[in-house]
């Protein structure tokens, strides 16, 4: 396949910008015509997937809309009704499917998400806080000049800084952001382990239609997309979730259980997620972190589970094994290729080093952003079947240790082991909720062409 | 009254075949039945409890009493019956992505079968020829096939441990206990409610 039309695709879809600062602005439209004029004006601000031949910019801007937002922009009913059901409903109505109940239920969310006010997401990424503030100020003045939108709220996110050094860590101390898939036609420096597994053991890019609308997917079909085709093509769907992290609970749980586990605290922490906290996959290095692996792109994601069916190295229920099971279900991984998502987003809230105090009440966590062509088949399936349920991993009703909604407080995580003294079998019981949902929604992230159609009121479903 | 009972789904699919094609399928079933490796993929799909295809010739339909009018059927029929865990969509997706060749061999003799790839026409076909379940009993609605297999492993290991415990000293028991934990450690998932069908 030739490369994609990069100037028509929002840059946020094709690449992680690798910028340490972000602010996500949430917009509300009161007047359809003024809102459309704003979208039209914003078109020249939007960062596309075009390569940065003249060097990386200081900041980027991208935009996406909820279904309510597209309705507020007066898109034709025939178009609005042609969107997939889960997108039309929005995340809140999907709570029961997603397991967003109890402390994760919509009535516990931040006020922003409780009232169905959010019509658009404007994502600004930047290299420095100054560039971020300047670009956001530009955005606010464009909104003011055009009177096209009300700014409801802003969510800051940023790489965590430890000892003065920006990192790719999240608040629990794990290095994040390894496993994004490769797609046909998307130009990026790929590495083994990032696409789909082939019968010969090599890795190949996934079909473009697993990420973008308008291209063939892994089933050889065009993804289900709204009409007209030109509105959908080169666009995708974005899942936004504000995931609060109970850092004190996590630390206490780890401290209380580590003395009972003869592999030690760091090894126990690595078993929860499937990587040592520096990012070393425990499938490759079960006994110690290994910088030579994390620094080597040909190794850091290059592993499978078929030689470890019992989970002796990487527990069957470890987070990375659950959400990207690779070949763990057999069939050369064919059962998972249509469940892959692309991760964007950053942590939010103040960092707290291991020796610094932390409370669950502190406002910190991860802004989880996932991109996929089919929310129901990809994100929702992973969330429902692999995070809050365990049958595919042969774990019955057991949930993901870190992300699962252990509402009963009776959740369990089994660390499979062997007969060696530093790798014994170990069972973690009475799991608390380490992570809680504070809000979010489903967004449509259109192509540049589609933004033009929306901005000029030219969406014609025929 | 429903295809779904807890974690288990019962699927009935009936498709017509031109009678001259039936013997081709019979030959194929004979081969499949006798060449076990051909069944491997179906068996390895861990969420399938049961799957069977049966040919019902047009002359062999039940004739219950003389009050029943004799039917003059033009087609033989293929009945597919399966019990599985998970959703309908998940099941058909998996069938299409890992068993497409085998399914095509079996169903290609049926009228208007579109092929198992791409998956959307295949799903539309199954939806057309599927008959909803009138009565369905499952002994363990809160368990999947994996849960049942796991329970058997845990029970057998526990029985063995209990037997050994009667005669072992503390050191022997410690060894036996470790052996037991290693045997059961990846089979400890619990039963419970199924996720909501979306």
């Amino acid at each position: 396949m030739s490369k994609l039309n990069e100037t028509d695709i929002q840059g946020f879809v094709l690449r992680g910008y690798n910028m340490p600062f972000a602010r996500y602005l949430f917009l509300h439209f009161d007047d359809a015509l003024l809102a459309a004029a704003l979208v039209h004006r914003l078109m020249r601000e939007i960062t596309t997937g075009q390569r940065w031949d003249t060097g990386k910019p200081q900041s980027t801007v991208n935009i996406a809309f909820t279904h309510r937002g597209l309705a507020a922009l007066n898109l034709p009913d025939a178009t609005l009704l042609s969107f997939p059901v889960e997108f039309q409903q929005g995340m809140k109505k999907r709570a029961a499917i997603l397991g967003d109940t109890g402390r994760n239920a919509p009535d516990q969310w931040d006020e922003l998400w409780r009232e169905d006010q959010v019509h658009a997401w404007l994502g600004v990424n930047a290299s420095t806080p100054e560039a971020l503030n300047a670009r956001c100020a530009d955005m606010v003045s464009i909104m003011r000049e055009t009177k096209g939108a009300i700014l409801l709220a802003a969510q800051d996110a940023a790489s965590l800084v430890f000892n003065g050094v920006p990192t790719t860590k999240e608040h629990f101390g794990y290095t994040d952001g390894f496993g994004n898939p490769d797609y046909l036609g998307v130009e990026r420096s790929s590495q083994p382990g990032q696409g789909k597994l082939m019968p010969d053991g090599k890795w190949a890019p996934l079909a473009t239609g697993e990420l973008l609308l308008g291209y063939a997917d892994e089933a050889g079909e065009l993804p289900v997309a709204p009409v007209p085709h030109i509105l959908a093509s080169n666009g995708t769907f974005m899942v936004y979730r504000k995931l609060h992290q109970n850092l004190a609970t996590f630390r206490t749980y780890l401290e209380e259980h580590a003395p009972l586990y003869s592999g030690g605290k760091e090894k126990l922490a690595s078993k929860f997620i499937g990587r040592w906290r520096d990012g070393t996959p425990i499938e490759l290095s079960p006994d110690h972190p290994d910088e030579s692996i994390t620094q080597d792109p040909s190794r850091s994601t290059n592993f499978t589970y078929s030689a470890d069916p019992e989970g002796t190295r990487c527990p069957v229920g470890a987070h990375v094994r659950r959400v990207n099971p690779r070949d763990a279900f057999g069939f050369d991984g064919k059962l998972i290729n249509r469940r892959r998502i692309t991760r964007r987003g950053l942590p939010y809230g103040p960092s707290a080093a291991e020796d610094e105090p932390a409370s669950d009440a502190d406002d910190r966590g991860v802004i989880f952003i996932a991109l996929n062509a089919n929310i129901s088949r990809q994100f929702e399936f992973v969330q429902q079947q692999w995070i809050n349920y365990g049958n595919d991993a042969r774990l019955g009703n057991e949930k993901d240790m870190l992300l699962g909604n252990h509402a009963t407080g009776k959740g369990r995580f089994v660390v499979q082991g062997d007969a060696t003294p530093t790798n014994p079998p170990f069972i973690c019981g009475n799991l608390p909720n380490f992570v809680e949902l504070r809000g979010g929604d489903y967004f449509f992230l259109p192509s540049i062409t589609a933004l033009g159609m929306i901005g000029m009121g030219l969406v014609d479903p025929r | 009254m429903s295809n779904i009972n807890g974690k288990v789904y019962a699927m009935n699919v009936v498709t017509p075949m031109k009678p001259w094609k039936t013997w081709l399928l019979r030959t194929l079933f004979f081969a499949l039945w006798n060449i076990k490796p051909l069944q491997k993929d179906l068996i390895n799909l861990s969420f399938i409890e049961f799957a069977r295809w049966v040919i019902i010739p047009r002359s062999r339909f039940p004739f219950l009493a003389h009050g029943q009018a004799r039917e003059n059927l033009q087609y033989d029929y293929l009945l597919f019956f399966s019990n599985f865990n998970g959703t309908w969509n998940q099941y058909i997706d998996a069938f299409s992505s890992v068993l497409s060749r085998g399914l095509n061999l079996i169903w290609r003799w049926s009228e208007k079968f579109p092929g198992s790839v791409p998956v959307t026409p295949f799903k539309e076909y199954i939806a057309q020829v599927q008959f909803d379940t009138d009565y369905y009993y499952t002994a363990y609605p809160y368990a999947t096939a994996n849960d049942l297999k796991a329970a058997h492993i845990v029970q057998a290991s526990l029985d063995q441990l209990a037997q050994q415990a009667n005669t072992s000293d503390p050191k022997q028991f410690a060894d036996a206990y470790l052996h037991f934990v290693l045997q059961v450690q990846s089979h400890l998932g619990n039963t419970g409610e199924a996720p909501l069908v979306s």
Side-chain angles (χ1 to χ4, degrees):
Chain A
M1 180 176 175
S2 56
K3 68 175 191 162
L4 301 166
N5 181 359
E6 294 168 339
T7 54
D8 194 42
I9 301 167
Q10 293 201 46
F12 193 69
V13 183
L14 294 184
R15 57 167 75 106
Y17 291 131
N18 244 342
M19 291 179 177
F21 301 96
R23 188 169 298 150
Y24 307 122
L25 310 177
F26 295 100
L27 279 46
H28 179 84
F29 304 137
D30 261 341
D31 179 296
L33 283 177
L34 293 177
L38 168 68
V39 171
H40 192 249
R41 168 66 186 83
L42 283 173
M43 273 179 71
R44 29 186 152 121
E45 305 289 331
I46 301 301
T47 307
T48 72
Q50 195 170 20
R51 268 205 284 174
W52 292 328
D53 292 331
T54 53
K56 201 167 171 172
Q58 283 293 299
S59 62
T60 61
V61 174
N62 292 102
I63 192 165
F65 305 93
T66 60
H67 193 259
R68 283 183 307 279
L70 296 174
L73 280 158
N74 268 355
L75 259 62
D77 287 348
T79 293
L80 293 171
L81 291 170
S82 66
F83 276 96
V85 160
E86 66 278 6
F87 174 67
Q88 292 191 38
Q89 291 190 318
M91 189 182 287
K92 212 160 88 174
K93 277 200 175 158
R94 307 290 282 180
I97 286 165
L98 297 170
D100 296 336
T101 55
R103 287 163 71 173
N104 292 0
D107 58 10
Q108 304 289 317
W109 291 1
D110 290 350
E111 206 184 329
L112 169 68
W113 300 106
R114 268 184 261 153
E115 298 296 324
D116 295 339
Q117 296 288 303
V118 176
H119 287 160
W121 164 94
L122 202 61
V124 181
N125 284 71
S127 314
T128 62
E130 296 74 33
L132 183 71
N133 287 333
R135 198 66 187 272
C136 288
D138 287 352
M139 294 302 114
V140 170
S141 57
I142 291 172
M143 276 183 250
R144 208 169 284 149
E145 281 160 26
T146 56
K147 299 190 174 66
I150 299 159
L151 179 59
L152 296 173
Q155 172 68 54
D156 273 17
S159 298
L160 295 186
V161 177
F162 289 105
N163 302 323
V165 186
T167 66
T168 50
K169 287 187 183 300
E170 51 68 68
H171 291 288
F172 292 158
Y174 298 105
T175 306
D176 198 2
F178 280 97
N180 274 338
D182 275 336
Y183 302 93
L184 270 179
V186 177
E187 278 197 328
R188 69 185 265 240
S189 52
S190 63
Q191 53 192 67
Q194 283 184 326
K196 62 176 173 181
L197 190 59
M198 303 305 284
D200 63 3
K202 295 205 176 82
W203 296 85
L206 288 162
T208 315
E210 296 295 315
L211 173 68
L212 283 168
L213 306 179
Y215 300 85
D217 61 25
E218 283 289 323
E221 297 176 298
L222 295 182
V224 178
V227 291
H229 178 75
I230 192 173
L231 176 79
S233 190
N234 281 336
T236 190
F237 292 102
M238 181 181 103
V239 177
Y240 180 100
R241 283 164 82 79
K242 182 180 180 184
L243 299 177
H244 172 83
Q245 288 176 282
N246 290 321
L247 184 53
T249 296
F250 173 79
R251 286 181 177 173
T252 307
Y253 192 89
L254 187 57
E255 288 299 334
E256 281 174 0
H257 287 74
L260 308 169
Y261 179 66
S262 50
K265 177 174 151 188
E266 283 309 305
K267 186 165 189 172
L268 184 58
S270 81
K271 295 281 189 181
F272 293 171
I273 203 154
R275 289 179 182 271
W276 293 90
R277 288 209 254 196
D278 78 335
T280 311
I282 56 174
E283 195 57 53
L284 293 178
S285 178
D287 297 319
H288 51 82
D290 184 344
E291 204 179 331
S292 73
I293 297 176
T294 55
Q295 300 305 313
D296 181 355
S298 71
R299 296 175 73 197
S300 64
T301 58
N302 192 7
F303 56 94
T304 54
Y305 298 110
S306 61
D308 183 24
E310 290 280 304
T312 303
R313 294 160 79 90
C314 179
V316 176
H319 174 71
V320 300
R321 186 165 174 160
R322 271 178 178 267
V323 296
N324 182 11
R326 296 165 186 258
D327 62 340
F329 308 153
F331 302 100
D332 304 319
K334 281 203 201 95
L335 290 173
I336 70 144
N337 295 338
R338 308 206 65 208
R339 314 293 182 190
R340 305 286 282 121
I341 54 173
T342 290
R343 288 267 322 270
R344 300 283 185 249
L346 285 165
Y348 69 92
S351 63
E354 288 275 332
D355 51 2
E356 288 170 352
S359 149
D360 285 351
D362 300 342
D363 189 31
R364 66 162 65 88
V366 165
I367 301 299
F368 171 95
I369 295 179
L371 303 172
N372 50 193
N374 187 319
I375 294 171
S376 159
R377 192 189 73 237
Q378 294 170 291
F379 164 71
E380 286 190 348
F381 184 92
V382 172
Q383 177 69 24
Q384 184 189 53
Q385 296 284 328
W386 292 350
I387 288 179
N388 279 322
Y389 188 55
N391 188 53
D392 282 352
R394 305 182 190 225
L395 291 170
N397 282 57
E398 261 177 36
K399 298 171 182 181
D400 188 291
M401 160 94 190
L402 293 171
L403 263 67
N405 187 0
H406 310 287
T408 59
K410 290 184 182 157
R412 182 176 54 190
F413 172 67
V414 180
V415 180
Q416 290 90 12
D418 53 34
T420 56
T422 56
N423 194 37
F426 187 70
I427 295 174
C428 298
N430 302 323
L431 296 177
N433 280 9
F434 297 107
V435 173
E436 288 168 8
L437 180 64
R438 291 288 154 84
D441 212 336
Y442 295 155
F443 293 83
F444 175 58
L445 205 151
S447 70
I448 306 300
T449 304
L451 283 174
M453 296 167 70
I454 296 169
M456 291 187 282
L458 294 177
V459 177
D460 167 26
R462 289 188 286 271
Chain B
M1 294 302 287
S2 165
N3 296 316
I4 301 167
N5 189 350
K7 288 181 173 177
V8 196
Y9 191 111
M11 177 185 272
N12 321 283
V13 166
V14 180
T15 53
M17 286 184 296
K18 291 203 167 113
W20 66 269
K21 291 180 179 172
T22 305
W23 72 270
L24 292 164
L25 186 59
R26 279 200 190 286
T27 315
L28 177 77
F29 279 163
F30 182 80
L32 279 175
W33 184 252
N34 288 286
I35 309 170
K36 296 290 177 197
L38 293 177
Q39 302 171 24
K40 196 188 78 188
D41 281 350
L42 191 57
I43 289 164
N44 285 350
L45 280 172
S46 71
F47 51 82
I48 297 183
E49 299 198 341
F50 174 90
R52 174 146 191 185
W53 285 269
V54 180
I55 294 167
I56 309 172
R58 59 202 167 128
S59 60
R60 297 276 297 279
F61 270 62
F63 186 71
L64 300 174
H66 288 288
Q68 184 185 349
R70 288 267 177 201
E71 285 181 279
N72 183 20
L73 297 170
Q74 304 297 307
Y75 292 94
D76 288 342
Y77 289 86
L78 177 63
L79 166 68
F80 172 63
F81 181 58
S82 179
N83 291 180
F84 58 85
N85 310 128
T87 68
W88 187 92
N89 267 305
Q90 189 184 0
Y91 184 72
I92 310 260
D93 281 338
F95 256 31
S96 172
S97 55
V98 304
L99 294 178
S100 60
R101 280 180 55 209
L103 295 184
N104 288 345
L105 275 175
I106 292 171
W107 264 318
R108 66 181 299 172
W109 320 104
S110 290
E111 289 303 289
K112 296 194 172 24
F113 177 64
S116 57
V117 176
V119 71
T120 304
F122 179 50
K123 283 182 178 174
E124 283 166 3
Y125 182 74
I126 297 293
Q128 295 268 2
V129 294
Q130 182 179 347
F131 288 78
D132 286 331
T133 308
D134 282 334
Y135 179 79
Y136 179 45
Y137 172 77
T138 180
Y140 305 107
Y142 289 125
T144 64
N146 286 336
D147 297 333
L148 297 174
K149 283 181 224 162
H152 279 292
I153 292 168
V154 173
Q155 188 66 56
S157 297
L158 185 65
D159 290 346
Q160 205 185 5
L161 178 68
Q163 207 169 26
Q164 267 174 291
N166 287 329
T167 55
S168 50
D169 62 32
K171 170 76 177 83
Q172 285 168 328
F173 179 78
D175 291 345
Y177 180 75
L178 178 62
H179 180 69
F180 162 73
V181 174
L182 291 172
Q183 273 187 329
V184 303
Q185 63 177 357
S186 52
H187 308 284
L188 294 174
N190 40 6
T191 55
E193 279 190 33
L196 204 73
V197 178
S198 53

